[in-house]
Amino acid sequence: HKTPKQLKCFLGAVRSEIMDPQNRNKVPINLPPEELKALKELIELLKEKQIIIKPCDKGAGIIILDFDKYMEACNKHLTSLQGNEEGEDKPFYIKVDETKLNEAKAKLTNIIQEAFDNRIISKEELNAMDPKDRVPGRFYCTFKVHKDHKEGEAPPERPIISGSNSITENASLFVEHHIKELGNKHESFLKDTPHFLREIEMINEEQKLPKNAILVTMDVSALYTNIPQSEGVECVEEELNKRTNPKVPTGFLTRVLEFILKYNIFEFNQELYQQVIGTAMGTRPAPPYANIFMANKIDDKIKEAASKMKDSEEDSIKLLKRFLDDIFMIYFGSTKRLHNLLKEINKIHPNIKLTMSHTSMISEPNISKCECEERDSIPFLDVSCKIVDGKIVTDLFRKKCDRNQYLLTSSCHPVQCTENIPFSLALRIIRICSESKNRDERLGELKQLLLDREYREGMIDAAINKARSISREKALQEMVQKESDRRPVFVATYDPRLPDLPGIQKKHWRSMVTSDQYMAEVFPEPPLVAYRRQKNIKEFLVRAKVPPRNAKTKRNLKGMKKCNKPCQACPFILEGKEIKGDKFDWKITTPANCQTKNVVYMIECNKENCKQRYIGESKRTIGDRLSDHKGYVNSIFPTKATGIHFNKPGHNLANIKITIVEKLKKDDGAYRKERERFLINKFNTYYRGINRMP
């Protein structure tokens, strides 16, 4: 049915109040001039291919490398080989051309079209997975600065393939949705740090650990790239077949998964590659896929190997939990026997190899020890663990490479974000630290870190006191998932100059529901405001793609220009980057010419003693809209505003000059009309211009 009158009033009032320039907040620029200058210099160095900037693999920092060192590290990985039991070395990646990419697109199109024809997927899913206008993925490396490396050389790299807008992006999302829960059902599964801490507390409550208890962490070397594709798909198929009420057939899901693994085609340095072994970090289904493989092929085999080597009736592994490729164990026995167990574990699968760290045993005579460096604690996730009097004591763990990168209070984010950060960080410490002494030390360190990031001392103290009021037992409880909010959501890009959007909506919503009982039933609460964040500095500096070879950077020049082609509109174009108002200068913030669409435009009379203006809007190109206005002027009996003006004595078509005032991002007729009204008022063209009141 038609939109109710009160709802129209609500929408119009909210729009009007948000668009009103008088409601803009005045805020200072949060980037000092010297930092802005440095940012521009870094961007120039990136364009000139002198440096590359990437996020560090751990620690929230960034790494700046010489461009040549980065390329060397990437090429080293892309040419790496995998050995096998027959002594053959096979490449992980091969170079391909556009033919392979087109083959992949055709293959996926056939798969999803067949599924649609058989009513396995909907029309919306078919369109979403359509690869027609998609591109290859993008390969890049982050760097493990926390690992040992020689000075002057790049640290060990972590390869990542960005699947954003790639041919497999939405197919990957579809598969991930259907296998995600299957990857969480195995006995060794760890969800996150609170889950790990709850497991530790259960062990502490059960019994006192014996003197031969050892805390062990194991890490799978390059798990994603070493999972054989055929075995991985078989494991997923096995789990899918256990479903009782499958919404999507197993055969279709495994077929799409096989395609994603086989046709992982990506671009690096303007060349196409295909991954032929393993799966890529960056592919959406990779985590649940790896989880299922490890649960089916490795986890139980570790327990079996330990059971064969135990020297008593008691199991030698008290606890085995895994977070993707990181394993945590409580092991009973000697460290020497533990190293023998690692050797057996590394025989389970030819491709899957693990490295190990462990705590030292409490000194006991006549017990053989390994040659590892003695340590009383060991980190796992962001927790440091050690055994004290038969109980596991936990403390907060921070890597040496960790950088204090908590969000600055001056950053372009809603104030609620920075207000909530101190409390959430303090609560994390309450949750992790099992000893009050450690907890107090970490809270003191947190306070100093936040002070260094310009947080107010009063805000920090209030957040820490609030966190202290929550018991550790309560902090460790699993979060109860809230029911989804059914309120309509108003999404806006956050800008500190914006007025109070929730307050504006609430005010006009109250007026709407008070005057209309039906609206009160439909909208019992005001819409929820959600903010997108602005582009941050990282997005200006960090790019997945390598800058093109020997290509001069094309500058995106702002302002109105002629298209410089045979064109009927170019003689009438008013070129420039800004338009002079009575008491202001209006800047044209995008490149524009007579072929630009979806705009608010201005027609100006160039007669020296006139200079009157007309503001209009158009979905079509400026050239097409100008043709309409020329027709109004040439009409025998002009009725349109521009036709009447340019038929006045001494006026003619030659006096018309046209420019774009604003190129709109959103192609919406109502929005164009709203911007047209705003700019008519801004330039006052009803009373001192050509526009006529409606």
Side-chain angles (χ1 to χ4, degrees), residues 18-65:
I18 292 172
M19 300 297 289
D20 186 351
Q22 300 301 318
N23 286 343
R24 298 284 182 270
N25 298 320
K26 291 184 179 179
V27 292
I29 295 171
N30 68 349
L31 202 62
E34 62 272 16
E35 290 187 15
L36 189 60
K37 182 183 176 184
L39 179 62
K40 290 177 179 176
E41 288 177 1
L42 284 171
I43 291 171
E44 282 304 311
L45 289 171
L46 289 166
K47 288 177 179 177
E48 292 167 5
K49 299 205 284 191
Q50 293 189 40
I51 62 169
I52 283 284
I53 302 177
K54 294 293 176 187
C56 296
D57 185 57
K58 298 280 193 305
I62 62 165
I63 181 171
I64 302 178
L65 297 95

Side-chain angles (χ1 to χ4, degrees), residues 217-461:
T217 61
M218 293 183 178
D219 179 40
V220 183
S221 300
L223 172 60
Y224 288 1
T225 49
N226 280 306
I227 299 175
Q229 293 178 359
S230 57
E231 286 187 54
V233 173
E234 283 175 14
C235 292
V236 172
E237 184 177 18
E238 188 179 324
E239 291 301 311
L240 286 169
N241 285 332
K242 293 177 183 177
R243 296 175 298 166
T244 50
N245 296 306
K247 293 181 180 178
V248 178
T250 296
F252 175 65
L253 289 171
T254 53
R255 193 177 173 196
V256 176
L257 178 59
E258 281 177 336
F259 172 85
I260 293 165
L261 296 172
K262 182 178 178 182
Y263 288 97
N264 184 19
I265 298 172
F266 58 90
E267 183 264 348
F268 176 73
N269 199 23
Q270 297 179 295
E271 292 185 312
L272 291 179
Y273 292 81
Q274 181 180 1
Q275 184 168 359
V276 291
I277 297 176
T279 187
M281 180 169 286
T283 301
R284 292 294 295 261
Y289 168 77
N291 250 334
I292 292 169
F293 173 81
M294 287 292 291
N296 284 33
K297 296 288 184 178
I298 307 296
D299 292 352
D300 290 339
K301 299 285 179 62
I302 292 175
K303 294 178 182 178
E304 288 174 16
S307 181
K308 290 176 184 176
M309 296 178 64
K310 67 182 181 180
D311 53 5
S312 66
E313 291 186 3
E314 187 179 16
D315 288 335
S316 55
I317 295 179
K318 173 64 179 174
L319 177 74
L320 188 150
K321 289 292 177 180
R322 181 173 51 77
F323 183 81
L324 288 176
D325 58 348
D326 293 320
I327 296 172
F328 180 87
M329 289 196 314
I330 301 176
Y331 179 81
F332 296 162
S334 69
T335 53
K336 208 158 190 178
R337 191 179 291 274
L338 176 61
H339 279 269
N340 290 333
L341 173 61
L342 178 64
K343 290 177 183 177
E344 292 302 312
I345 291 171
N346 281 332
K347 294 177 184 176
I348 292 173
H349 195 284
N351 294 2
I352 306 300
K353 304 300 175 188
L354 289 85
T355 57
M356 180 177 72
S357 298
H358 60 82
T359 58
S360 305
M361 285 181 57
I362 297 171
S363 295
E364 283 286 326
N366 304 321
I367 293 181
S368 58
K369 297 181 180 179
C370 65
E371 297 177 357
C372 298
E373 180 186 350
E374 291 202 2
R375 57 195 303 174
D376 64 349
S377 65
I378 195 164
F380 184 74
L381 302 178
D382 54 349
V383 182
S384 177
C385 305
K386 68 177 179 179
I387 299 174
V388 178
D389 297 329
K391 301 292 182 183
I392 300 175
V393 174
T394 56
D395 192 8
L396 180 67
F397 174 72
R398 294 181 77 222
K399 283 185 167 64
K400 290 180 181 178
C401 64
D402 192 45
R403 296 290 178 269
N404 185 14
Q405 293 290 298
Y406 299 132
L407 193 69
L408 287 166
T409 52
S410 59
S411 188
C412 185
H413 286 74
V415 67
Q416 297 92 325
C417 287
T418 48
E419 285 179 348
N420 289 331
I421 284 171
F423 172 70
S424 62
L425 291 173
L427 185 62
R428 171 174 170 247
I429 290 171
I430 299 293
R431 187 183 293 124
I432 290 175
C433 297
S434 58
E435 299 284 306
S436 58
K437 181 184 175 183
N438 293 336
R439 181 187 63 221
D440 294 341
E441 283 182 17
R442 302 297 166 254
L443 288 171
E445 291 168 1
L446 173 64
K447 181 175 179 178
Q448 187 55 54
L449 289 170
L450 291 171
L451 286 171
D452 292 344
R453 298 297 282 175
E454 303 173 5
Y455 285 75
R456 289 182 292 104
E457 187 172 6
M459 180 199 295
I460 301 168
D461 289 338

Side-chain angles (χ1 to χ4, degrees), residues 681-692:
N681 293 330
K682 180 81 175 173
F683 286 93
N684 199 17
T685 58
Y686 279 142
Y687 302 103
R688 300 181 61 185
I690 300 172
N691 286 87
R692 293 185 296 178

